[in-house]
Amino acid sequence: MPEVAVPEDPDPQDGSEPAGGAPVAEDGLETLLQHLRDTRGFDFTGYKRSSISRRVRRRMEQLGITDHGDYLDHLELHGEEFTALFNTILINVTAFFRDPDSWEYLRSEVLPAVVAAKGPTDPIRVWSAGCASGEEAYTLAIVLSELLGRDQFRDRVKIYATDVDEEDLARARQAVYDERQVRGLDPELLERYFEPVGTRFQFRSDLRRSVIFGRNDLVQDAPISRIDVLVCRNTLMYLTAETQARILARFHYALAPTGVLFLGKAEMLLSHAALFRPLDLRRRVFTRVAPATATDPPFAGGDGQVPGATPPATVDGTPEEVLLSAPVAYVVLNGDGTVRLVNRAAEGLLDVSAADCGRPFRDVDVSYRPVELRRHVDLALAERRVVRVDDVQLVRDEQILTLQIRVQPLSASTTLRLGGPPAVAISFEDVTEQARLREELSQLGSRLETAHEELQSTSEELETTNEELQSTVEELETTNEELQSTNEELETINEELQSTNDELHAINDELEERSGQLNEVNSFLESVLAGLHSGVIVLGRDFLVRAWNQQAEELWGLRRDEVLHQNFLALDIGLPIDRLRPMIREALAGDPRSHQLGIAAVNRRGRTIEVRVLGSALNDRDGSPAGVILMMDEEPPDAARPAD
Ligand SMILES: C[S@@+](CC[C@H](N)C(=O)[O-])C[C@H]1O[C@@H](n2cnc3c(N)ncnc32)[C@H](O)[C@@H]1O
């Protein structure tokens, strides 16, 4: 199993930032997240603080709120605010064939192998977790349909596409995408897999049936099982390492034994090598590692040896002289525990000399300094195996040396050649330099590990920031589109107004023309009335004066503008108007005949005159009575008075 670096949570739960990060724990933010979890059942506490803090602040700025506590009050007062906050926090940037190189690898290398590992009619189960508005799920549908053919795809494939955002899921189910959203699609695939709907495109309905959308919260809900291909891209990176680890354990459970996991290009599984093995690390495609079973080899001991498994080492055929001049320090003991041999290297390194030969080992300094060796000798002899004592420190010439000591039982033949009963060889190897190098290497390793973790955390941070930027760009594009559509709407209204204006101008022209015609008719009528020698008075059905010509003015001493629209019956003009009533009534009743009447009246100079009045009906166009025309002439004084 490859050695794995375990990056610490780059964005720890306590809200502090990773190395180089800016803000520290924001108590207000924590309270807000806990409130959302407790009252709304949505747990954002497992999300990275840097990103979530930015998103919450952004929402607060939109509302002009600077304090988390005030924002919490706002949330409690305005129920709909939760949706707005939810939409601000959950970034839903996505695209068809996002990161084309990775999809190409999946299409050409991974999926054919997944399909080949199955029986010809076996179902193929796919999960797009964090599917946003569905582009990823439909990309999977396109790739699998291309690989299997449409019929096999429909019969065998189920794509479960889940997200926590219901609004996104509703969009995904509709499967309608505008020109901008399908821009990255190969035009041929667009033609084959989408149907035009106005200016937009809808994913084919017959294939849509194999894609099942549903809500699943990766942080809280149980996973889908027996999955062959699990795609979870650009979703885990918003979560803390701890939350990611919990979800990855569930993904491991969700996958079938030969299942593959496809992550986003900024997401790593370095600390989860026990669960997933990279197929292609750069493209973030992993296979599931089978869980450890009882047949797995047990974990080896600290010295890399299973106790009792190593046969005792021997120094076969080592001549005493060779041993004496060996570069490594050696002390050899007889079976009775006396010192048999001390070589020159040992004399130089340890508090022991050739003069100690023949003395009991326990009486010699080296048996307990720099480390207690007697029990190791006993153990080596009793168990007939090499006993190692590592990292023994020895001060020599004001220098600290590191020794590696090996207590080695000798075989009978060696003992014989040494000329005595069974013995033990103790070697003292100076490994100071190796230890120093090892220490330096380990320090270098942990520095590399830290640098790698920082790099990983920075890269994830960059990627989340990038996604946020993309989301902002998309929001701006939407606002721009909205503005454009408002602009278009204004343009239409403007055009409509212009056309109404044109119509009004035409009506006005027409009216002006009519008014000219009316003026002409009026002046014609006036000249007709003025040309008559009789006084002419025209009354409407309401007895109001409609016309009063010049002769009438002269006869009765009242100007036209003084009587127009006045009630004729109420005029005091020296004419006994009551006597005219029957004539007027007849005319208004529709009597087509004219009636004549001679009346004595007092003219404007106070002289009594005889007036002949001729009354006839005034009919409108359809023949119904509309008023009365009265024509009046003064009779010459000597004219015979007509009968009443
Ligand atoms: C940036 S989008 C990625 C979409 C798509 N996988 C891709 O790579 O193009 C992240 C999606 O993860 C979803 N998400 C965030 N938290 C989630 C959770 N706890 N459970 C399920 N989905 C979640 C968001 O709603 C959003 O749709």
Side-chain angles (χ1 to χ4, degrees):
M1 194 154 301
E3 190 122 328
V4 289
V6 186
E8 290 299 311
D9 184 350
D11 209 347
Q13 286 283 46
D14 64 3
S16 62
E17 285 294 300
V24 280
E26 294 174 90
D27 289 344
L29 180 65
E30 295 307 313
T31 315
L32 176 68
L33 299 184
Q34 278 154 23
H35 171 84
L36 292 175
R37 186 189 56 199
D38 300 341
T39 60
R40 301 293 180 145
F42 198 85
D43 191 359
F44 282 118
T45 58
Y47 286 61
K48 285 183 183 164
R49 290 302 180 272
S50 51
S51 170
I52 209 162
S53 153
R54 264 199 306 274
R55 308 297 293 174
V56 172
R57 285 217 165 274
R58 186 187 152 105
R59 179 64 200 149
M60 286 165 56
E61 270 163 26
Q62 284 166 353
L63 295 169
I65 298 177
T66 49
D67 180 74
H68 284 109
D70 293 345
Y71 182 60
L72 199 56
D73 292 344
H74 180 86
L75 258 174
E76 277 176 354
L77 279 176
H78 304 89
E80 72 286 357
E81 176 56 23
F82 177 69
T83 315
L85 177 64
F86 195 70
N87 286 336
T88 312
I89 293 180
L90 295 179
I91 296 188
N92 52 10
V93 175
T94 187
F96 290 102
F97 290 95
R98 185 173 188 188
D99 307 323
D101 172 54
S102 303
W103 278 99
E104 176 52 28
Y105 174 69
L106 198 78
R107 185 196 71 77
S108 59
E109 306 286 331
V110 182
L111 293 179
V114 169
V115 171
K118 299 234 141 208
T121 56
D122 285 351
I124 298 170
R125 292 162 63 82
V126 182
W127 182 11
S128 161
C131 65
S133 38
E135 285 89 329
E136 183 176 278
Y138 294 122
T139 302
L140 279 162
I142 293 174
V143 174
L144 283 165
S145 169
E146 290 287 294
L147 184 69
L148 296 166
R150 286 217 176 132
D151 291 343
Q152 282 244 4
F153 173 80
R154 273 190 294 253
D155 293 347
R156 296 177 61 193
V157 177
K158 284 264 171 306
I159 300 174
Y160 300 95
T162 63
D163 202 285
V164 79
D165 188 338
E166 292 278 16
E167 284 180 15
D168 257 354
L169 286 171
R171 276 191 284 273
R173 283 188 195 102
Q174 282 190 343
V176 178
Y177 300 96
D178 63 24
E179 266 179 45
R180 184 173 54 83
Q181 289 165 307
V182 297
R183 208 175 284 154
L185 263 176
D186 178 340
E188 219 177 273
L189 294 179
L190 179 64
E191 161 95 35
R192 269 191 284 142
Y193 286 92
F194 290 81
E195 287 151 1
V197 183
T199 56
R200 300 195 296 162
F201 304 86
Q202 184 167 37
F203 192 76
R204 289 177 58 134
S205 57
D206 57 330
L207 301 185
R208 228 161 54 218
R209 268 176 236 125
S210 304
V211 188
I212 302 130
F213 289 95
R215 187 179 186 280
N216 180 287
D217 180 351
L218 291 171
V219 179
Q220 307 186 74
D221 296 336
I224 301 170
S225 59
R226 290 176 289 118
I227 295 298
D228 297 302
V229 181
L230 203 171
V231 180
C232 182
R233 311 196 68 227
N234 308 301
T235 299
L236 294 181
M237 65 189 186
Y238 295 101
L239 305 169
T240 60
E242 197 182 79
T243 317
Q244 287 188 21
R246 279 206 311 274
I247 295 175
L248 285 167
R250 287 192 204 139
F251 282 177
H252 185 261
Y253 166 82
L255 278 170
T258 53
V260 292
L261 174 66
F262 180 27
L263 296 181
K265 72 172 190 296
E267 292 160 323
M268 294 290 273
L269 279 191
L270 289 179
S271 49
H272 305 281
L275 303 178
F276 300 100
R277 188 166 44 78
L279 265 181
D280 186 308
L281 192 59
R282 193 167 65 79
R283 274 93 162 218
R284 305 293 190 264
V285 181
F286 302 82
T287 49
R288 178 184 188 273
V289 170
T293 63
T295 54
D296 282 343
F299 188 70
D303 59 356
Q305 293 168 7
V306 180
T310 314
T314 61
V315 277
D316 268 351
T318 307
E320 200 161 340
E321 206 29 62
V322 172
L323 209 57
L324 279 171
S325 57
V328 174
Y330 269 103
V331 174
V332 180
L333 308 184
N334 287 320
D336 61 1
T338 55
V339 177
R340 166 82 197 179
L341 179 148
V342 175
N343 77 351
R344 285 188 274 282
E347 283 181 308
L349 184 70
L350 305 160
D351 289 331
V352 66
S353 74
D356 291 318
C357 291
R359 290 179 65 198
F361 180 57
R362 66 172 181 279
D363 295 343
V364 183
D365 266 11
V366 79
S367 69
Y368 54 86
R369 214 171 21 225
V371 69
E372 166 56 53
L373 282 177
R374 285 162 301 188
R375 61 188 172 86
H376 295 302
V377 170
D378 293 345
L379 186 68
L381 282 172
E383 295 187 1
R384 308 283 313 145
R385 68 176 176 89
V386 177
V387 175
R388 248 170 70 175
V389 191
D390 286 331
D391 292 332
V392 177
Q393 310 272 290
L394 171 74
V395 181
R396 254 290 158 266
D397 304 331
E398 294 179 352
Q399 258 195 318
I400 300 173
L401 304 181
T402 306
L403 302 183
Q404 188 187 67
I405 303 175
R406 286 164 72 90
V407 183
Q408 205 169 300
L410 298 177
S411 67
S413 58
T414 312
T415 311
L416 279 179
R417 234 178 291 154
L418 284 170
V424 168
I426 309 170
S427 64
F428 302 79
E429 195 178 351
D430 180 358
V431 292
T432 312
E433 192 55 16
Q434 288 98 310
R436 191 183 60 76
L437 283 175
R438 210 173 53 223
E439 177 59 19
E440 272 182 17
L441 264 177
S442 127
Q443 280 178 9
L444 201 67
S446 54
R447 279 215 298 277
L448 267 174
E449 216 165 87
T450 317
H452 181 264
E453 281 162 20
E454 280 171 13
L455 204 71
Q456 170 71 13
S457 131
T458 314
S459 139
E460 286 193 5
E461 182 77 16
L462 266 177
E463 196 60 28
T464 44
T465 315
N466 190 23
E467 294 255 323
E468 282 171 30
L469 272 176
Q470 268 196 48
S471 143
T472 312
V473 167
E474 283 186 7
E475 276 165 28
L476 282 176
E477 277 182 6
T478 317
T479 314
N480 196 22
E481 275 169 20
E482 279 169 11
L483 277 176
Q484 266 186 25
S485 102
T486 312
N487 199 21
E488 277 169 18
E489 219 167 291
L490 282 176
E491 294 248 325
T492 338
I493 294 176
N494 198 19
E495 301 241 319
E496 281 169 23
L497 279 176
Q498 267 189 25
S499 116
T500 313
N501 202 19
D502 288 349
E503 280 167 24
L504 281 175
H505 272 298
I507 292 173
N508 202 22
D509 289 349
E510 211 171 295
L511 279 176
E512 273 183 9
E513 197 183 330
R514 286 257 177 94
S515 147
Q517 287 168 354
L518 272 177
N519 283 344
E520 258 176 48
V521 172
N522 260 347
S523 53
F524 174 73
L525 271 177
E526 268 172 22
S527 44
V528 169
L529 285 176
L532 289 171
H533 291 294
S534 309
V536 178
I537 299 170
V538 180
L539 307 180
R541 290 181 62 84
D542 48 7
F543 304 113
L544 299 187
V545 177
R546 296 280 197 272
W548 186 275
N549 75 349
Q550 209 177 328
Q551 279 66 25
E553 281 184 2
E554 281 170 14
L555 202 54
W556 304 114
L558 283 172
R559 287 191 322 275
R560 181 168 167 264
D561 57 314
E562 288 174 302
V563 294
L564 220 53
H565 305 302
Q566 302 296 322
N567 189 331
F568 178 70
L569 302 180
L571 289 181
D572 181 15
I573 54 173
L575 180 72
I577 284 171
D578 270 356
R579 295 206 47 215
L580 293 178
R581 276 181 195 274
M583 172 193 279
I584 293 173
R585 213 174 293 124
E586 294 290 320
L588 286 179
D591 186 349
R593 292 167 302 163
S594 299
H595 296 271
Q596 231 184 89
L597 192 63
I599 317 178
V602 180
N603 78 358
R604 55 197 289 215
R605 292 181 195 90
R607 185 171 60 82
T608 302
I609 53 166
E610 281 297 323
V611 179
R612 187 165 50 84
V613 181
L614 182 69
S616 17
L618 169 72
N619 292 333
D620 59 18
R621 243 186 251 166
D622 62 2
S624 40
V628 187
I629 304 168
L630 300 172
M631 295 183 69
M632 303 177 176
D633 291 292
E634 189 183 344
E635 297 273 32
D638 53 346
R641 207 177 149 194
D644 281 356

